[in-house]
Protein backbone atom coordinates (compact mmCIF):
# COMPACT_ATOMS: atom_id res chain seq x y z
CA UNK A 1 0.00 0.00 0.00
CA UNK A 2 1.50 3.33 -1.09
CA UNK A 3 0.87 6.69 0.59
CA UNK A 4 0.29 9.75 -1.71
CA UNK A 5 2.55 12.21 0.07
CA UNK A 6 1.95 15.19 -2.24
CA UNK A 7 -1.84 15.09 -1.90
CA UNK A 8 -1.47 14.99 1.85
CA UNK A 9 0.78 18.07 1.81
CA UNK A 10 -1.66 20.03 -0.39
CA UNK A 11 -4.49 19.20 1.96
CA UNK A 12 -2.50 20.48 4.96
CA UNK A 13 -1.61 23.74 3.12
CA UNK A 14 -5.28 24.38 2.28
CA UNK A 15 -6.19 23.90 5.91
CA UNK A 16 -3.41 26.29 7.08
CA UNK A 17 -4.23 29.06 4.50
CA UNK A 18 -7.85 29.38 5.53
CA UNK A 19 -7.16 32.05 8.20
CA UNK A 20 -7.26 29.72 11.13
CA UNK A 21 -3.66 30.46 12.12
CA UNK A 22 -0.70 28.29 11.85
CA UNK A 23 -1.44 24.72 12.06
CA UNK A 24 0.22 22.23 14.17
CA UNK A 25 3.86 21.97 13.49
CA UNK A 26 4.40 25.62 12.87
CA UNK A 27 6.06 27.57 15.66
CA UNK A 28 7.25 31.12 16.02
CA UNK A 29 10.48 30.41 14.33
CA UNK A 30 9.06 28.64 11.34
CA UNK A 31 7.94 25.12 10.66
CA UNK A 32 8.59 22.68 13.39
CA UNK A 33 9.30 18.98 13.03
CA UNK A 34 6.06 17.05 12.40
CA UNK A 35 6.25 13.53 13.86
CA UNK A 36 3.19 12.39 11.97
CA UNK A 37 4.54 13.67 8.70
CA UNK A 38 7.88 11.99 9.28
CA UNK A 39 6.13 8.66 9.93
CA UNK A 40 4.06 8.99 6.77
CA UNK A 41 7.19 9.85 4.83
CA UNK A 42 8.85 6.64 6.01
CA UNK A 43 5.85 4.64 4.85
CA UNK A 44 5.93 6.27 1.44
CA UNK A 45 8.03 3.52 -0.31
CA UNK A 46 6.84 0.57 1.74
CA UNK A 47 5.23 -2.50 -0.10
CA UNK A 48 3.42 -5.41 1.55
CA UNK A 49 5.66 -8.65 1.14
CA UNK A 50 2.89 -10.91 -0.33
CA UNK A 51 4.88 -11.75 -3.48
CA UNK A 52 7.91 -12.90 -1.49
CA UNK A 53 5.70 -15.09 0.70
CA UNK A 54 4.13 -16.74 -2.29
CA UNK A 55 7.54 -17.33 -3.87
CA UNK A 56 8.77 -18.87 -0.63
CA UNK A 57 5.78 -21.18 -0.39
CA UNK A 58 6.22 -22.28 -3.99
CA UNK A 59 9.89 -22.97 -3.34
CA UNK A 60 9.07 -25.09 -0.28
CA UNK A 61 6.48 -27.05 -2.23
CA UNK A 62 9.02 -27.60 -5.00
CA UNK A 63 11.52 -28.98 -2.49
CA UNK A 64 8.85 -31.18 -0.89
CA UNK A 65 7.94 -32.66 -4.27
CA UNK A 66 11.13 -34.74 -4.09
CA UNK A 67 9.75 -36.95 -1.33
CA UNK A 68 8.54 -40.33 -2.63
CA UNK A 69 7.66 -43.76 -1.23
CA UNK A 70 8.61 -47.08 -2.83
CA UNK A 71 6.11 -49.89 -2.14
CA UNK A 72 7.29 -53.39 -1.09
CA UNK A 73 6.60 -54.82 -4.55
CA UNK A 74 8.42 -51.97 -6.31
CA UNK A 75 11.92 -50.65 -6.81
CA UNK A 76 12.86 -47.00 -7.31
CA UNK A 77 14.94 -45.97 -10.34
CA UNK A 78 16.20 -42.39 -9.95
CA UNK A 79 17.28 -40.38 -13.01
CA UNK A 80 19.34 -37.19 -12.86
CA UNK A 81 18.88 -34.98 -15.89
CA UNK A 82 17.48 -38.00 -17.75
CA UNK A 83 20.43 -40.31 -16.99
CA UNK A 84 20.31 -43.28 -14.60
CA UNK A 85 21.76 -42.33 -11.21
CA UNK A 86 20.79 -44.88 -8.55
CA UNK A 87 18.38 -47.62 -7.45
CA UNK A 88 16.53 -47.47 -4.14
CA UNK A 89 14.65 -50.18 -2.27
CA UNK A 90 11.23 -50.11 -0.62
CA UNK A 91 10.51 -47.31 1.85
CA UNK A 92 10.47 -43.47 1.95
CA UNK A 93 13.18 -41.66 -0.04
CA UNK A 94 14.05 -38.24 -1.41
CA UNK A 95 15.27 -37.09 -4.79
CA UNK A 96 16.07 -33.64 -6.07
CA UNK A 97 12.90 -32.06 -7.45
CA UNK A 98 11.97 -32.01 -11.09
CA UNK A 99 13.55 -31.23 -13.53
CA UNK A 100 16.81 -32.15 -11.80
CA UNK A 101 15.79 -35.69 -10.85
CA UNK A 102 12.76 -37.87 -11.38
CA UNK A 103 11.93 -41.46 -10.41
CA UNK A 104 10.33 -44.55 -11.95
CA UNK A 105 8.80 -47.23 -9.74
CA UNK A 106 8.28 -50.48 -11.72
CA UNK A 107 6.62 -53.43 -9.96
CA UNK A 108 9.28 -56.15 -9.98
CA UNK A 109 7.17 -58.88 -8.33
CA UNK A 110 4.17 -58.55 -10.63
CA UNK A 111 3.62 -61.44 -13.04
CA UNK A 112 2.82 -59.96 -16.43
CA UNK A 113 1.36 -61.90 -19.35
CA UNK A 114 1.08 -61.59 -23.08
CA UNK A 115 -1.29 -63.52 -25.34
CA UNK A 116 -0.08 -64.87 -28.68
CA UNK A 117 -2.53 -66.15 -31.27
CA UNK A 118 -5.62 -64.86 -29.49
CA UNK A 119 -6.96 -61.96 -27.44
CA UNK A 120 -9.20 -62.13 -24.40
CA UNK A 121 -12.32 -60.00 -24.63
CA UNK A 122 -12.35 -57.73 -21.60
CA UNK A 123 -15.64 -56.94 -19.90
CA UNK A 124 -15.28 -54.22 -17.27
CA UNK A 125 -12.29 -54.99 -15.07
CA UNK A 126 -12.07 -58.76 -15.68
CA UNK A 127 -11.65 -61.12 -18.60
CA UNK A 128 -14.77 -63.08 -19.41
CA UNK A 129 -14.14 -66.83 -19.42
CA UNK A 130 -14.32 -68.32 -22.90
CA UNK A 131 -14.57 -64.96 -24.68
CA UNK A 132 -11.59 -65.11 -27.01
CA UNK A 133 -10.79 -63.61 -30.36
CA UNK A 134 -8.45 -65.59 -32.56
CA UNK A 135 -5.55 -63.84 -34.32
CA UNK A 136 -4.71 -66.09 -37.26
CA UNK A 137 -1.64 -64.18 -38.42
CA UNK A 138 0.01 -65.04 -35.09
CA UNK A 139 -1.36 -68.54 -34.41
CA UNK A 140 -0.94 -70.37 -37.74
CA UNK A 141 2.46 -72.13 -37.78
CA UNK A 142 4.23 -74.73 -39.92
CA UNK A 143 5.44 -77.97 -38.33
CA UNK A 144 8.53 -79.96 -39.18
CA UNK A 145 6.52 -82.45 -41.26
CA UNK A 146 5.02 -79.58 -43.34
CA UNK A 147 1.61 -79.46 -41.66
CA UNK A 148 -0.18 -76.29 -40.57
CA UNK A 149 -1.23 -76.08 -36.92
CA UNK A 150 -3.09 -73.37 -35.01
CA UNK A 151 -1.20 -72.61 -31.77
CA UNK A 152 -2.53 -70.24 -29.09
CA UNK A 153 -0.39 -69.72 -26.00
CA UNK A 154 0.34 -67.40 -23.08
CA UNK A 155 3.72 -66.10 -21.87
CA UNK A 156 4.11 -65.11 -18.21
CA UNK A 157 7.10 -62.97 -17.25
CA UNK A 158 8.35 -60.55 -14.63
CA UNK A 159 11.02 -57.87 -14.39
CA UNK A 160 14.50 -59.27 -13.70
CA UNK A 161 16.60 -56.09 -14.13
CA UNK A 162 14.51 -52.88 -13.84
CA UNK A 163 17.22 -50.66 -15.36
CA UNK A 164 17.49 -52.82 -18.50
CA UNK A 165 13.71 -53.19 -18.61
CA UNK A 166 13.13 -49.41 -18.59
CA UNK A 167 15.95 -48.17 -20.81
CA UNK A 168 17.16 -50.94 -23.16
CA UNK A 169 13.89 -51.57 -25.01
CA UNK A 170 10.66 -49.69 -25.60
CA UNK A 171 7.19 -51.25 -25.67
CA UNK A 172 8.32 -54.11 -23.49
CA UNK A 173 5.08 -56.11 -23.79
CA UNK A 174 5.16 -55.95 -27.59
CA UNK A 175 8.82 -56.99 -27.57
CA UNK A 176 8.09 -60.04 -25.40
CA UNK A 177 5.13 -61.01 -27.59
CA UNK A 178 7.13 -60.75 -30.82
CA UNK A 179 10.05 -62.72 -29.38
CA UNK A 180 7.65 -65.37 -28.02
CA UNK A 181 5.99 -65.78 -31.41
CA UNK A 182 9.39 -66.19 -33.10
CA UNK A 183 10.55 -68.73 -30.48
CA UNK A 184 7.35 -70.79 -30.76
CA UNK A 185 7.54 -70.84 -34.56
CA UNK A 186 11.09 -72.17 -34.38
CA UNK A 187 10.22 -74.89 -31.84
CA UNK A 188 7.08 -75.95 -33.76
CA UNK A 189 9.17 -76.06 -36.94
CA UNK A 190 11.43 -78.67 -35.33
CA UNK A 191 8.54 -80.91 -34.23
CA UNK A 192 6.02 -83.04 -36.09
CA UNK A 193 2.33 -82.29 -35.77
CA UNK A 194 1.71 -85.31 -33.52
CA UNK A 195 3.98 -83.83 -30.85
CA UNK A 196 2.18 -80.50 -31.02
CA UNK A 197 -1.28 -82.06 -30.78
CA UNK A 198 -0.73 -84.85 -28.23
CA UNK A 199 2.25 -86.09 -26.27
CA UNK A 200 4.88 -83.42 -27.00
CA UNK A 201 3.18 -80.30 -25.59
CA UNK A 202 5.11 -80.26 -22.32
CA UNK A 203 8.46 -80.51 -24.08
CA UNK A 204 7.49 -77.83 -26.61
CA UNK A 205 6.51 -75.43 -23.80
CA UNK A 206 9.81 -76.04 -21.99
CA UNK A 207 11.90 -75.59 -25.15
CA UNK A 208 10.02 -72.42 -26.11
CA UNK A 209 10.53 -70.92 -22.64
CA UNK A 210 14.28 -71.59 -22.75
CA UNK A 211 14.66 -70.19 -26.28
CA UNK A 212 12.58 -67.11 -25.43
CA UNK A 213 14.76 -66.42 -22.39
CA UNK A 214 17.88 -66.61 -24.59
CA UNK A 215 16.38 -64.14 -27.10
CA UNK A 216 15.32 -61.64 -24.42
CA UNK A 217 18.72 -61.85 -22.71
CA UNK A 218 20.32 -61.13 -26.06
CA UNK A 219 18.12 -58.02 -26.35
CA UNK A 220 19.02 -56.98 -22.80
CA UNK A 221 15.31 -56.67 -22.00
CA UNK A 222 15.73 -57.28 -18.26
CA UNK A 223 12.90 -59.86 -18.29
CA UNK A 224 12.69 -63.33 -16.71
CA UNK A 225 10.30 -65.74 -18.45
CA UNK A 226 8.23 -67.55 -15.83
CA UNK A 227 6.21 -69.92 -18.02
CA UNK A 228 4.93 -70.60 -21.52
CA UNK A 229 1.48 -72.24 -21.52
CA UNK A 230 -0.16 -73.59 -24.67
CA UNK A 231 -3.89 -72.82 -24.39
CA UNK A 232 -5.28 -74.41 -27.55
CA UNK A 233 -3.55 -76.38 -30.29
CA UNK A 234 -5.57 -77.72 -33.21
CA UNK A 235 -5.39 -78.09 -36.98
CA UNK A 236 -7.02 -75.50 -39.22
CA UNK A 237 -10.83 -75.68 -39.34
CA UNK A 238 -10.80 -76.78 -42.97
CA UNK A 239 -9.11 -80.11 -42.15
CA UNK A 240 -10.03 -80.61 -38.49
CA UNK A 241 -12.49 -83.46 -39.22
CA UNK A 242 -9.83 -85.43 -41.07
CA UNK A 243 -7.41 -84.90 -38.20
CA UNK A 244 -10.04 -86.14 -35.74
CA UNK A 245 -10.42 -89.35 -37.76
CA UNK A 246 -6.66 -89.80 -37.79
CA UNK A 247 -6.50 -89.17 -34.06
CA UNK A 248 -9.26 -91.73 -33.44
CA UNK A 249 -7.39 -94.30 -35.52
CA UNK A 250 -4.22 -93.62 -33.56
CA UNK A 251 -6.10 -94.02 -30.28
CA UNK A 252 -7.52 -97.37 -31.47
CA UNK A 253 -4.06 -98.48 -32.51
CA UNK A 254 -2.63 -97.46 -29.16
CA UNK A 255 -5.44 -99.27 -27.33
CA UNK A 256 -4.90 -102.51 -29.30
CA UNK A 257 -1.14 -102.29 -28.77
CA UNK A 258 -1.65 -101.78 -25.05
CA UNK A 259 -4.00 -104.75 -24.82
CA UNK A 260 -1.54 -106.95 -26.72
CA UNK A 261 1.32 -105.83 -24.50
CA UNK A 262 -0.79 -106.52 -21.41
CA UNK A 263 -1.56 -110.06 -22.64
CA UNK A 264 2.10 -110.61 -23.46
CA UNK A 265 3.17 -109.31 -20.06
CA UNK A 266 0.70 -111.67 -18.42
CA UNK A 267 1.60 -114.74 -20.51
CA UNK A 268 5.38 -114.49 -20.65
CA UNK A 269 5.97 -114.50 -16.87
CA UNK A 270 3.78 -117.59 -16.49
CA UNK A 271 5.62 -119.38 -19.30
CA UNK A 272 8.96 -118.38 -17.83
CA UNK A 273 7.84 -119.60 -14.40
CA UNK A 274 6.66 -122.96 -15.76
CA UNK A 275 9.87 -123.41 -17.73
CA UNK A 276 11.94 -122.58 -14.66
CA UNK A 277 9.91 -125.05 -12.59
CA UNK A 278 10.42 -127.85 -15.15
CA UNK A 279 14.13 -127.10 -15.36
CA UNK A 280 14.44 -127.12 -11.58
CA UNK A 281 12.55 -130.40 -11.31
CA UNK A 282 14.75 -131.99 -13.99
CA UNK A 283 17.84 -130.70 -12.27
CA UNK A 284 16.66 -132.09 -8.94
CA UNK A 285 15.83 -135.47 -10.51
CA UNK A 286 19.24 -135.57 -12.17
CA UNK A 287 20.96 -134.78 -8.90
CA UNK A 288 18.90 -137.44 -7.11
CA UNK A 289 19.65 -140.16 -9.67
CA UNK A 290 23.31 -139.29 -9.79
CA UNK A 291 23.63 -139.23 -6.02
CA UNK A 292 21.74 -142.53 -5.66
CA UNK A 293 23.89 -144.15 -8.31
CA UNK A 294 27.02 -142.85 -6.68
CA UNK A 295 25.78 -144.12 -3.31
CA UNK A 296 24.95 -147.56 -4.67
CA UNK A 297 28.30 -147.74 -6.42
CA UNK A 298 30.13 -146.75 -3.24
CA UNK A 299 28.07 -149.25 -1.25
CA UNK A 300 28.87 -152.00 -3.72
CA UNK A 301 32.55 -151.16 -3.62
CA UNK A 302 32.49 -151.21 0.17
CA UNK A 303 30.75 -154.63 0.19
CA UNK A 304 33.20 -155.90 -2.42
CA UNK A 305 36.06 -154.78 -0.25
CA UNK A 306 34.64 -156.65 2.75
CA UNK A 307 33.82 -159.66 0.58
CA UNK A 308 37.41 -159.89 -0.58
CA UNK A 309 38.52 -159.91 3.04
CA UNK A 310 36.13 -162.70 4.17
CA UNK A 311 34.15 -164.27 1.38
CA UNK A 312 32.21 -166.92 3.36
CA UNK A 313 31.15 -164.60 6.12
CA UNK A 314 30.21 -161.90 3.67
CA UNK A 315 28.08 -164.31 1.62
CA UNK A 316 26.26 -165.48 4.70
CA UNK A 317 25.70 -161.92 5.90
CA UNK A 318 24.35 -160.85 2.52
CA UNK A 319 22.07 -163.85 2.46
CA UNK A 320 20.73 -163.09 5.90
CA UNK A 321 20.18 -159.41 5.08
CA UNK A 322 18.32 -160.35 1.89
CA UNK A 323 16.13 -162.87 3.71
CA UNK A 324 15.48 -160.35 6.48
CA UNK A 325 14.37 -157.80 3.95
CA UNK A 326 12.08 -160.27 2.17
CA UNK A 327 10.58 -161.88 5.25
CA UNK A 328 10.21 -158.55 6.99
CA UNK A 329 8.07 -157.15 4.17
CA UNK A 330 4.43 -157.29 5.31
CA UNK A 331 3.14 -157.03 1.76
CA UNK A 332 4.69 -160.36 0.78
CA UNK A 333 2.54 -163.44 1.65
CA UNK A 334 4.73 -166.13 3.03
CA UNK A 335 4.18 -169.94 3.33
CA UNK A 336 6.49 -171.68 5.77
CA UNK A 337 6.84 -175.44 5.24
CA UNK A 338 9.31 -177.90 6.73
CA UNK A 339 11.99 -179.32 4.53
CA UNK A 340 10.54 -182.83 4.79
CA UNK A 341 7.13 -181.65 3.74
CA UNK A 342 8.44 -180.18 0.54
CA UNK A 343 9.39 -183.63 -0.72
CA UNK A 344 5.90 -185.06 -0.11
CA UNK A 345 3.61 -182.15 -1.08
CA UNK A 346 3.06 -180.52 -4.41
CA UNK A 347 4.12 -176.90 -4.24
CA UNK A 348 1.12 -174.60 -3.74
CA UNK A 349 0.66 -171.18 -5.20
CA UNK A 350 -2.36 -169.07 -4.05
CA UNK A 351 -3.39 -168.01 -7.54
CA UNK A 352 -6.91 -167.08 -6.53
CA UNK A 353 -5.67 -164.57 -3.93
CA UNK A 354 -3.16 -163.19 -6.31
CA UNK A 355 -5.89 -162.66 -8.92
CA UNK A 356 -8.18 -161.01 -6.34
CA UNK A 357 -5.38 -158.74 -5.22
CA UNK A 358 -4.56 -157.70 -8.75
CA UNK A 359 -8.20 -157.09 -9.52
CA UNK A 360 -8.55 -154.91 -6.41
CA UNK A 361 -5.70 -152.78 -7.49
Amino acid sequence: MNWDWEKLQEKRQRQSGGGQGPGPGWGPGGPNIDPIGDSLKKLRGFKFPAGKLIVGLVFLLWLASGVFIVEPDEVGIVLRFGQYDRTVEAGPHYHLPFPIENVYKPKITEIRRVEVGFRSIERGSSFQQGSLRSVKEESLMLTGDENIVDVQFIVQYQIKDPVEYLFNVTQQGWTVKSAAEAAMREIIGHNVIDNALTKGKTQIQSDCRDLLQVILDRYGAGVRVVAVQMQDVHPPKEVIDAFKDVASAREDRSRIINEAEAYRNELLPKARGNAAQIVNQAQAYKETVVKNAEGEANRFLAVLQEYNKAKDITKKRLYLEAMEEILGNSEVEKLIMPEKGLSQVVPYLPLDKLKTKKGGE
Side-chain angles (χ1 to χ4, degrees):
M1 179 178 179
N2 297 327
W3 291 90
D4 196 339
W5 178 255
E6 294 180 354
K7 290 182 178 181
L8 183 59
Q9 292 287 4
E10 291 178 357
K11 183 178 180 181
R12 292 180 61 188
Q13 289 177 1
R14 285 195 300 269
Q15 290 176 354
S16 61
Q20 297 179 0
W26 289 84
N32 298 328
I33 296 174
D34 186 0
I36 298 176
D38 293 341
S39 298
L40 293 176
K41 189 175 182 180
K42 292 179 180 179
L43 292 175
R44 181 179 180 182
F46 179 78
K47 294 183 180 180
F48 189 76
K52 295 182 179 179
L53 181 61
I54 293 174
V55 172
L57 290 175
V58 171
F59 182 74
L60 291 177
L61 291 176
W62 180 72
L63 291 178
S65 65
V67 178
F68 66 98
I69 297 176
V70 180
E71 300 295 334
D73 61 338
E74 299 175 341
V75 66
I77 305 299
V78 180
L79 306 182
R80 178 171 295 174
F81 297 112
Q83 185 177 6
Y84 170 75
D85 183 69
R86 63 188 182 277
T87 300
V88 296
E89 302 297 332
H93 298 278
Y94 182 81
H95 68 86
L96 297 178
F98 182 84
I100 301 175
E101 290 183 347
N102 60 328
V103 61
Y104 292 99
K105 296 185 288 185
K107 296 182 180 295
I108 58 174
T109 61
E110 178 183 358
I111 301 296
R112 294 168 169 82
R113 59 174 259 166
V114 294
E115 299 169 345
V116 183
F118 72 102
R119 299 293 183 272
S120 299
I121 298 177
E122 188 176 0
R123 295 292 181 85
S125 59
S126 61
F127 291 97
Q128 191 175 31
Q129 183 68 22
S131 299
L132 303 177
R133 178 175 60 86
S134 179
V135 183
K136 295 296 182 182
E137 57 270 20
E138 296 177 0
S139 62
L140 293 179
M141 302 181 183
L142 189 65
T143 63
D145 53 354
E146 298 182 355
N147 284 297
I148 298 176
V149 65
D150 194 329
V151 182
Q152 299 176 357
F153 64 99
I154 291 174
V155 177
Q156 294 179 336
Y157 68 96
Q158 61 182 170
I159 299 175
K160 178 176 64 174
D161 189 327
V163 177
E164 292 183 351
Y165 181 80
L166 291 173
F167 306 120
N168 283 3
V169 296
T170 60
Q171 299 180 345
Q172 294 88 348
W174 182 85
T175 301
V176 173
K177 183 181 75 66
S178 300
E181 181 182 348
M184 182 61 74
R185 289 187 183 279
E186 180 171 348
I187 299 301
I188 290 294
H190 286 85
N191 285 269
V192 297
I193 192 170
D194 290 343
N195 291 339
L197 294 177
T198 55
K199 59 185 178 181
K201 288 184 178 180
T202 303
Q203 186 63 38
I204 290 176
Q205 291 177 162
S206 178
D207 294 343
C208 181
R209 181 193 62 208
D210 297 339
L211 180 58
L212 177 58
Q213 186 66 65
V214 171
I215 294 173
L216 293 176
D217 290 343
R218 191 181 305 160
Y219 291 166
V223 169
R224 177 172 56 253
V225 181
V226 178
V228 174
Q229 298 177 352
M230 301 175 73
Q231 299 297 301
D232 189 15
V233 182
H234 58 269
K237 293 182 178 179
E238 294 77 8
V239 295
I240 193 169
D241 293 334
F243 271 92
K244 288 182 178 179
D245 294 338
V246 173
S248 298
R250 288 197 181 98
E251 291 177 357
D252 293 338
R253 182 189 66 178
S254 301
R255 178 178 55 81
I256 294 172
I257 291 174
N258 293 334
E259 291 176 354
E261 289 180 350
Y263 176 72
R264 182 191 66 180
N265 294 334
E266 180 183 0
L267 186 62
L268 287 180
K270 291 182 178 179
R272 292 191 184 100
N274 293 333
Q277 182 180 3
I278 294 172
V279 171
N280 292 334
Q281 290 177 352
Q283 188 70 24
Y285 177 73
K286 183 190 75 171
E287 295 293 334
T288 301
V289 172
V290 171
K291 295 299 181 182
N292 289 336
E294 291 177 353
E296 291 294 332
N298 293 331
R299 179 176 175 274
F300 179 79
L301 293 176
V303 173
L304 178 61
Q305 186 178 2
E306 296 298 327
Y307 176 76
N308 291 330
K309 292 180 181 178
K311 294 182 179 181
D312 295 336
I313 297 174
T314 303
K315 285 181 181 180
K316 189 173 182 179
R317 184 173 62 81
L318 292 174
Y319 172 76
L320 294 175
E321 289 177 354
M323 292 305 296
E324 180 181 3
E325 183 179 355
I326 294 172
L327 295 177
N329 189 354
S330 59
E331 297 181 357
V332 177
E333 188 175 357
K334 297 172 283 291
L335 295 175
I336 302 175
M337 299 178 65
E339 187 177 353
K340 294 181 179 180
L342 289 176
S343 61
Q344 299 176 359
V345 181
V346 179
Y348 167 74
L349 293 176
L351 298 177
D352 55 347
K353 293 182 179 180
L354 293 174
K355 182 178 181 182
T356 302
K357 186 177 181 181
K358 290 181 179 180
E361 294 176 354

